[in-house]
Amino acid sequence: MIARKDALEKIIKYLDAFVLEVRSYNAIGAYDVNIHAENSLIPILNAVFDLELTNINHQKKNFPAVDLVDAKNGVAFQITATSSMDKVSETLKKFVQNDLHKTYSTLFIYILTEKESKYNDAKIQELTDGKLEFDTSIHVVDFTDILKRVNAIVATEKLQTISRLFEHEFSDVQIASRQKKFRDGFLKNVPEDLYLNLVKVHFSNRLYIAETKYDEKLAGTLSRQMNKGKRKGKIYHPESLFKAIISTKDIYYIDWLIREDKLITFRNLQDPQEPLTHFIDKGTVEAFNPVDYYEDNDDKLNVFKALLKNCLRHLCYTLSMEWVHDRRILRFRNDENIPREKKTNWRGKKESVKTVIFEVMSKKKGDEPSHIVCFRNMAFEPNFHLLDDTWYLSINPTWSFTNPGGFKASGYEAEYMSGIKRLETNNTVCYQFRFFAYFLSNIPPLFVEQYPHLKIERIPPIAFAPAIEDSKWIPPKEFVAKTARETELFEDKELNANSF
């Protein structure tokens, strides 16, 4: 009971402070605080009303009648500091005129200050014309209605969560921060940088295709070896056989494809110095403009994407990364002989060192020494996209958890991945993307000379104004370990805004 009482008192305290803040700024005509309020209220309203509201104005500029929407539950909110009947009428009129009632069956008008004691229900019925059920005693709400709903919540844990949200949004520290912003020009047209998880891709201007030709006796021997121990009838992939064949000549690069017994690659098959020419019918070599090839049909487009992915795998191999087939990701490669923590040099604002493979240690129990439970490798999922005649690589940061041997997946990887997703914030993932974008696009010249067939180029961020800090609209994230394994997880804090 004490915990419930403390949570309620905290909610009342911070809600009163918020209402006072809005009134103060509106009294001097500083209505920009209402824009901030839309975002601050999202986590509050979601928790109190059990909704999934988002700010529609961030998705569609000048969206009519409402500010926050939950399409899944069919609920919309108008957020305003104006409590008059005229404001309510104007909102309802626009809501019905734009057929929003067909998408959102419930409309709330949230008054940031204090609602009127009574509204003209007859006029409201006229405006809604039977298309929307709108009762001013229910659907026009202010802070008093929030408190009533909060007081009706039985679960103390939920009340405590809501109280933490109120404290985060409406504490003295947050109010002081907003006051400073107003003095400096709140929400002035200073843009913030928005990053897409894309980098631009450049590749060779010639694509070569030729029929494969190699020693059939050798191929037969290798195929029997590859099939040994496998169930009868299982067919190996032609690329696996070709890879085994060229490895007999110490050729290990993988930036090629086999399709219908034809080799497809950016490597110049018309150059007698190219080692792959020993495994093709030289009279069948054709050279193509890559655009002419992948624009021919969807099948060839997919083949070309697969080739780009193999080229990326080759490039990343030179950067001490490896392909994990089961998860379709590229991760930093551990030491083959002695698996250990690994760091790499890179450059953001300055020369830096980044840990790319962490040791995850067991929790110490009594006199029992701590030991390596697994390794946690930085990784990303790559995908190629053709957008408006330009090729892009999407980089989706993730992690790979390997056993103490350094290569096989940890038996607890699924459990660790579930925990890490709940632990990491939007900023954490964004900084990991920016690290990979820098890392792949700032390759030392030595590597560029060795491998000219694929180049990554960072694309500049999109300038968006006005800037809205994530902390003002994303609710605070609290990580609570659900299992013993999750207690071993930790947030990677080596990357932050100062790194870039």
Side-chain angles (χ1 to χ4, degrees), residues 97-340:
Q97 282 180 346
N98 288 277
D99 290 330
L100 295 180
H101 59 282
K102 295 179 179 178
T103 304
Y104 309 105
S105 57
T106 303
L107 169 66
F108 288 99
I109 300 177
Y110 186 90
I111 311 299
L112 290 167
T113 50
E114 188 174 0
K115 64 183 180 181
E116 302 287 324
S117 59
K118 188 172 178 58
Y119 291 92
N120 188 334
D121 291 324
K123 185 175 181 180
I124 285 173
Q125 296 304 316
E126 180 184 334
L127 288 168
T128 55
D129 192 26
K131 297 177 179 178
L132 176 71
E133 184 178 337
F134 191 89
D135 184 337
T136 56
S137 65
I138 298 173
H139 298 111
V140 179
V141 296
D142 62 9
F143 68 99
T144 61
D145 298 284
I146 294 293
L147 290 177
K148 289 176 185 176
R149 283 179 171 265
V150 167
N151 192 46
I153 295 173
V154 176
T156 301
E157 185 178 348
K158 184 173 182 179
L159 273 179
Q160 290 174 330
T161 299
I162 293 173
S163 72
R164 287 194 293 269
L165 288 171
F166 272 89
E167 182 176 14
H168 178 266
E169 293 298 337
F170 310 131
S171 66
D172 292 341
V173 173
Q174 290 284 29
I175 291 174
S177 174
R178 288 193 287 272
Q179 287 175 341
K180 182 178 185 302
K181 283 182 169 28
F182 273 108
R183 287 194 298 270
D184 297 339
F186 187 77
L187 289 180
K188 58 188 178 182
N189 291 325
V190 174
E192 66 173 325
D193 289 339
L194 299 184
Y195 290 87
L196 302 176
N197 69 327
L198 300 175
V199 290
K200 193 176 291 187
V201 174
H202 303 279
F203 43 78
S204 299
N205 58 12
R206 303 302 286 171
L207 181 69
Y208 296 90
I209 301 178
E211 293 181 7
T212 57
K213 183 179 180 181
Y214 39 73
D215 187 290
E216 292 184 2
K217 184 177 180 180
L218 173 63
T221 300
L222 291 173
S223 64
R224 286 191 294 274
Q225 291 175 353
M226 293 167 65
N227 282 323
K228 188 176 181 180
K230 294 183 179 179
R231 68 178 184 270
K232 188 175 181 180
K234 183 175 176 62
I235 301 175
Y236 57 82
H237 199 284
E239 288 182 353
S240 300
L241 176 60
F242 189 78
K243 184 177 180 180
I245 290 171
I246 65 175
S247 67
T248 62
K249 298 294 184 182
D250 295 327
I251 301 173
Y252 299 104
Y253 42 76
I254 55 174
D255 51 350
W256 45 264
L257 290 175
I258 300 293
R259 291 294 186 273
E260 298 178 345
D261 295 325
K262 290 184 178 181
L263 176 66
I264 306 172
T265 182
F266 287 121
R267 292 182 179 270
N268 187 356
L269 299 181
Q270 295 175 335
D271 181 359
Q273 300 301 314
E274 168 56 52
L276 286 179
T277 58
H278 297 294
F279 306 94
I280 62 170
D281 183 343
K282 297 180 179 61
T284 65
V285 176
E286 294 181 274
F288 295 85
N289 181 323
V291 177
D292 294 336
Y293 178 81
Y294 63 70
E295 285 190 344
D296 190 32
N297 57 56
D298 288 343
D299 287 340
K300 288 184 177 179
L301 177 64
N302 290 330
V303 168
F304 192 76
K305 287 182 180 180
L307 177 62
L308 289 179
K309 185 167 288 188
N310 281 357
C311 291
L312 178 66
R313 289 172 56 188
H314 181 92
L315 177 62
C316 286
Y317 183 82
T318 67
L319 301 173
S320 297
M321 298 188 75
E322 63 185 347
W323 176 250
V324 184
H325 181 76
D326 291 345
R327 291 189 54 200
R328 319 299 290 176
I329 61 173
L330 283 157
R331 72 180 176 203
F332 280 96
R333 186 173 65 249
N334 215 319
D335 187 277
E336 293 184 9
N337 299 315
I338 307 177
R340 66 188 73 187

Side-chain angles (χ1 to χ4, degrees), residues 193-200 346 354 378-383 392-399 424-441 456-462 492 495 500:
D193 289 339
L194 299 184
Y195 290 87
L196 302 176
N197 69 327
L198 300 175
V199 290
K200 193 176 291 187
W346 73 291
K354 175 74 186 79
M378 286 190 74
F380 69 92
E381 177 189 355
N383 286 290
Y392 296 92
L393 166 67
S394 63
I395 296 175
N396 297 309
T398 186
W399 294 93
E424 292 185 330
T425 64
N426 282 13
N427 275 342
T428 304
V429 178
C430 179
Y431 293 143
Q432 288 170 351
F433 158 74
R434 293 180 66 184
F435 165 77
F436 278 120
Y438 274 87
F439 185 73
L440 296 174
S441 61
I456 305 299
E457 176 191 350
R458 297 195 313 276
I459 58 178
I462 299 171
D492 177 11
L495 296 173
F500 302 94

Side-chain angles (χ1 to χ4, degrees), residues 14-15 49 149 168 172 185 247 298 326 371 379 402 418 445 469:
Y14 289 116
L15 187 54
F49 286 79
R149 283 179 171 265
H168 178 266
D172 292 341
S247 67
D298 288 343
D326 291 345
H371 63 277
T402 59
S418 175
E469 296 178 23

Side-chain angles (χ1 to χ4, degrees), residues 19 22-23 25-27 30-31 33-34 37 67 78-84 87 109-116:
V19 173
V22 173
R23 282 175 174 165
Y25 282 114
N26 278 266
Y31 299 110
V33 73
N34 300 339
D67 302 302
Q78 161 73 257
I79 309 297
T80 178
T82 306
S83 61
S84 67
K87 179 62 177 178
I109 300 177
Y110 186 90
I111 311 299
L112 290 167
T113 50
E114 188 174 0
K115 64 183 180 181
E116 302 287 324

